[in-house]
Amino acid sequence: MREIEFNHGWICTRQGSDQQGIAVTLPHDAMITEKRSGKSLGGKNIGWFEAGDYSYTKKFTLPAQDAGKKIFFEIEGAYHLAKIYVNGTQIGYRPYGYSDFYLDATEQIRFGEENEIEIRTENADQPNSRWYSGTGLYRPVHLYVADQEHILLNGIQVETLKTDPAEIQVTVRTGGTGTVNVQILDGDRIVLQAQTETTPAAGIPETDNGLGSCRDGSETQGIAVLKMAVPGAKLWSMDTPHLYRCRVTFMSDLQEVSFGIRSLTWDRQSGIAVNGKRVILRGACIHHDNGVLGACAFPEAEERKIRLLKENGYNAVRSAHNPCSKALLDACDRLGMLMMDEYVDVWYIHKTEHDYADFVDQWWKTDLRELVQKDYNHPCVILYSTGNEVAETGQKRGIALTKEMTAYLHELDASRPVSCGINIFFNFLSSIGFGVYSDDKAKKDAEKSARSAGKEKKKKPVGSEFYNTLAGMFGDYTMKLGATLHGCDVRTRDAYAGMDIAGYNYGIFRYLHDLRKYPDRLILGSETFCKDAYLFWEKARNHPGIVGDFVWAGVDYIGEAGIGSWEYEDYAPADADEAGWLTGGSGRIDIVGNTNGEALYTKVAFEQTQDIYLAVKPVYQKGKHSPSAWKMTEAEASWSYPGCEGTQAVIEVYARAAEVEVFLNDRSIGRKRMKNTCRAIFRAAYEPGVLRAVAYDQDGKKIRETSLSSAGDETCLMLTPESSGTVKEGLTYIQVKYTDANGIWKPMEKHHIQVTVQNGILKGLGNACPYNPDGYDKDNTGTYYGRALAVVQADGTGPVTVTVKDEARQETVQIPLAE
């Protein structure tokens, strides 16, 4: 099978617009450059973008000698309601915006002549999402040319049968019958090989065009199953993520997949175990966008997200609330990050008027099949989730659907457990009529939006947004306490019985009670508040039935604007246009990749460091508003607040110790015992100098210390590329930061910067403030606490030169281009 590069040469046109289409290279997000205003029907959920419908077209030619071969397209993601045409004939349809799917275009191709593919995507049907979705072809598209007799698309599956000694099973499905040759490679070295003959097999759909018919690879299909012992196998794990390649030859076709050898078990006695060793999931929920790049799934962006999370102590991610990209899975495989890949945010009850609820009944089997086909060979994937906060799980129909989905996933892949993230308290609330969607409510909200375009619009939240609103009003403790009500158990127990691992959203106060009541239940904190990290870890260490925790959220994201933000009037005036809010503000890592005090706390809580950390709330800030249950603290690792002498500072210390003490310029300002916590809070009048924290053991012996120093008077503009070089079309992230001459961060510096690029393209520019009227698609931006981020793409003509200037300074950095 031959793959043809297919991401260049596209024309993107906004449907219904008089403007000429623009040339784009995939992945491309048409939404990130759209206007943001109070007229947005998607509102804060999508960051106030005025979403539209877009058409992508590309002309291409296949040589005449390919006549008689089969032609397939793979579309990794098209948001959403995608219709695909080749030479004017519709060949496919996919309503879900996150599916990776294949289409057979053989009958429509004119070999030796020019062809045209058109992919129409819709996103004007707002509201249709609770977060920023992006629009269009935000993931790659591939073109494949295959002989009539070929290895089927996704036709190679590798499963670990055992690890000591290592044995794998390779299953190959083919179009036609014949000899299958299999080689296992470690790097470029062939470690074993075998061959066998296929046997006739029942035809399975190779592609599903979504138009009511499926197309098989050929009339006759074959299957080959080989069990192979792997001598001296190197196991895949989070610490040693070793990957092999499986090379398969059938007739003239050759295909390869990567895989890892690892075992996976789950039971009440051992929890989740990888290679026989218990693993407690230190997880982070992440959305699919990549910050200043919008929804574009660039491989470098996906890998950076995983790398940052792993550096901060996480070992698992939850793809919330949709199937992740192939690039993200590849990054998890390489870096040793575990993955819970999630299907969907709704089943048959809407959360927004035009979301996927209208399609799930018809499409869920196709969607889940495509999810498993994408994930099967990836050792990082250890768990499937069928949904998020689907209150249907409290209803008879939904309980049945829970069991059907779990059974179907087991049929497709028996090697991984199935979960579903249930918001325990909301299941009960919805059962008594609170926060339930209705078409009448949606119609009234739409009418209000039409009457008050450009003005503040108040609508009654439903579904997950209803719960989020309550959490903002009453705080996290009330919501977790609500989950302990008996009615919450009644409305979740039957659904939990229909899955392998029970997903608890915000139900940590139930854990120990439910372990006693349900002796076979495994509990996963599928969505949690940051401040509960320490409590979770202490429970999980002693109870294997508690298998993990996924904090909301690991990385900040576009949409759900302001939900997790504690912002000050300095950066978000209280009377500012609501359409200026852009991100959720709830990440332990912010939208441009900086860690905060919450990340330091979590790393200590999860015992991923022996260090002690200091963080301080911005000393100079006043007028905080937009409080959030998803925020534990706004403290940052800085003691540089000139002009704030005498102002009370709130100082936080994170440590695993018996006691901690804080010193300011060698004077003790307090000493506290650390009982059932790893966080201590001190207060002192600010003065420049050195802030120092010391940790003591039970005997009062100093075991570790850390310090923060105030910055000097000189202010420097620093540009720091995150990589030492780049390649043609490669991305480079450049951190922009104001410091003193010694590199000490100066968070009070507030500037407006402009960026120019030579031998490259500025792909995104922005700061981490959740309130950001400027967005990420301009060549200028304000800084946020003295920081910003630029992402540039090399055009291949030479080293990339990036120049940043503000009102008084200018700095340049050069990124070498690899040969």
Side-chain angles (χ1 to χ4, degrees), residues 36 43-48 130-132 556-565 578-585 626 770-771:
R36 292 164 56 219
K44 64 183 180 182
N45 283 348
I46 61 171
W48 299 99
R130 291 194 305 108
W131 59 89
Y132 178 86
D556 196 14
Y557 53 93
I558 307 174
E560 284 195 312
I563 189 175
S565 172
E578 64 178 348
W581 289 94
L582 181 57
T583 77
S626 63
Y771 184 82

Side-chain angles (χ1 to χ4, degrees), residues 212-227:
S213 63
C214 296
R215 304 179 182 191
D216 293 343
S218 65
E219 293 183 1
T220 304
Q221 291 188 6
I223 186 170
V225 179
L226 297 91
K227 293 183 179 180

Side-chain angles (χ1 to χ4, degrees), residues 172 174 178-182 194-198 223-224 226 248-250:
V172 182
T174 60
T179 302
V180 168
N181 291 278
V182 176
Q195 70 176 40
T196 189
E197 299 297 312
T198 62
I223 186 170
L226 297 91
V248 179
T249 306
F250 171 73

Side-chain angles (χ1 to χ4, degrees), residues 244-562:
Y244 289 88
R245 287 182 294 142
C246 177
R247 178 183 294 164
V248 179
T249 306
F250 171 73
M251 302 298 186
S252 62
D253 194 7
L254 184 150
Q255 293 186 37
E256 284 188 358
V257 298
S258 66
F259 69 98
I261 299 175
R262 62 110 179 96
S263 66
L264 176 67
T265 59
W266 58 97
D267 57 51
R268 183 62 181 266
Q269 290 68 45
S270 303
I272 290 176
V274 175
N275 300 328
K277 182 180 179 181
R278 186 190 176 201
V279 174
I280 303 174
L281 303 183
R282 308 184 304 272
C285 297
I286 56 173
H287 272 313
H288 71 292
D289 74 84
N290 280 306
V292 300
L293 300 174
C296 292
F298 290 102
E300 300 98 322
E302 301 286 57
E303 179 158 321
R304 178 180 186 258
K305 184 159 50 180
I306 297 305
R307 174 177 57 80
L308 290 173
L309 286 166
K310 185 150 190 181
E311 288 172 355
N312 282 279
Y314 295 95
N315 67 0
V317 290
R318 173 192 182 204
S319 181
H321 304 291
N322 48 260
C324 68
S325 71
K326 284 186 167 182
L328 192 73
L329 290 177
D330 289 340
C332 290
D333 282 348
R334 289 191 300 270
L335 298 179
M337 180 70 79
L338 302 175
M339 164 64 72
M340 176 166 75
D341 209 358
E342 191 157 79
Y343 169 35
V344 76
D345 190 47
V346 294
W347 284 354
Y348 54 80
I349 298 175
H350 285 276
K351 294 180 181 177
T352 61
E353 185 178 1
H354 301 291
D355 61 27
Y356 198 56
D358 289 334
F359 300 94
V360 169
D361 272 353
Q362 179 183 350
W363 281 89
W364 68 265
K365 283 194 172 183
T366 297
D367 295 338
L368 290 181
R369 183 175 69 247
E370 290 169 343
L371 171 72
V372 171
Q373 288 175 343
K374 171 177 68 72
D375 290 2
Y376 194 93
N377 292 321
H378 289 276
C380 66
V381 179
I382 62 160
L383 191 61
Y384 297 119
S385 170
T386 56
N388 170 66
E389 297 185 339
V390 278
E392 295 93 325
T393 51
Q395 302 175 354
K396 185 176 180 179
R397 176 185 171 190
I399 293 166
L401 184 56
T402 302
K403 296 175 180 178
E404 286 183 66
M405 286 187 175
T406 298
Y408 188 60
L409 283 167
H410 286 165
E411 179 184 330
L412 296 169
D413 181 1
S415 69
R416 294 174 171 99
V418 178
S419 185
C420 180
I422 297 178
N423 190 313
I424 300 172
F425 191 24
F426 179 67
N427 260 36
F428 170 65
L429 292 174
S430 64
S431 73
I432 57 177
F434 290 100
V436 180
Y437 174 91
S438 75
D439 289 333
D440 287 340
K441 288 181 183 178
K443 184 178 179 181
K444 290 178 181 178
D445 286 338
E447 291 172 351
K448 288 180 182 178
S449 296
R451 290 195 303 268
S452 59
K455 303 177 183 178
E456 185 177 3
K457 300 178 284 293
K458 298 295 183 182
K459 62 179 182 179
K460 294 181 179 179
V462 298
S464 297
E465 191 176 350
F466 173 79
Y467 177 89
N468 297 344
T469 301
L470 288 183
M473 294 169 60
F474 300 111
D476 65 291
Y477 184 85
T478 300
M479 308 314 286
K480 292 179 292 190
L481 194 63
T484 66
L485 296 173
H486 176 67
C488 297
D489 182 27
V490 173
R491 290 296 176 177
T492 56
R493 60 193 180 194
D494 292 332
Y496 282 148
M499 60 187 78
D500 301 307
I501 297 177
Y504 282 44
N505 283 20
Y506 310 110
I508 193 169
F509 290 171
R510 292 200 67 91
Y511 289 2
L512 298 185
H513 170 273
D514 287 0
L515 287 180
R516 292 189 295 268
K517 186 172 183 179
Y518 301 101
D520 295 326
R521 182 177 290 182
L522 291 171
I523 294 175
L524 170 67
S526 41
E527 199 163 304
T528 63
F529 295 110
C530 173
K531 65 179 63 173
D532 291 330
Y534 179 89
L535 177 61
F536 154 74
W537 191 255
E538 294 304 298
K539 292 178 183 293
R541 284 196 310 174
N542 300 311
H543 297 279
I546 303 172
V547 300
D549 175 277
F550 286 90
V551 69
W552 192 268
V555 182
D556 196 14
Y557 53 93
I558 307 174
E560 284 195 312

